């Protein structure tokens, strides 16, 4: 069963607005633990950490520095 990793909604003014996946702290294909810090994202010069919502193998869907919508799937954990 796969678990989606979503870009957090950081702007109440524009909850579907764009942001950037700044840095991945876990590699594609790497085993991660639930609660582990796996990425940093940014919206309007504000950054937030993204933690793994489950344990398993991380599969990136969005590259570093790629633009993504808040609430969009940026990775899955298998």
């Amino acid at each position: 069963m796969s678990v989606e990793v979503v870009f957090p909604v950081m702007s109440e003014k524009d909850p579907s607005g764009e942001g950037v996946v700044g840095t991945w702290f876990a590699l594609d294909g790497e085993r991660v633990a639930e609660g582990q810090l796996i990425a940093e994202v940014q919206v309007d010069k504000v950054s937030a950490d993204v933690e793994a919502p489950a344990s398993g193998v991380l599969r990136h869907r969005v590259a570093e520095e790629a633009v993504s919508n808040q609430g969009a799937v940026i990775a899955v954990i298998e």
Side-chain angles (χ1 to χ4, degrees), residues 29-52:
E30 184 177 335
R31 181 163 290 281
V32 296
E34 183 176 355
Q36 177 181 337
L37 180 62
I38 57 172
E40 178 185 61
V41 296
Q42 300 172 347
V43 174
D44 296 329
K45 299 183 183 179
V46 175
S47 63
D49 294 333
V50 178
E51 296 180 352

Side-chain angles (χ1 to χ4, degrees), residues 1-5 24 30-36 38 51-61 73-78:
M1 181 174 141
S2 295
V3 176
E4 296 179 334
V5 179
W24 283 105
E30 184 177 335
R31 181 163 290 281
V32 296
E34 183 176 355
Q36 177 181 337
I38 57 172
E51 296 180 352
S55 296
V57 177
L58 180 67
R59 301 289 182 200
H60 295 181
R61 290 214 173 153
V73 176
I74 57 172
V76 294
I77 297 176
E78 300 174 331

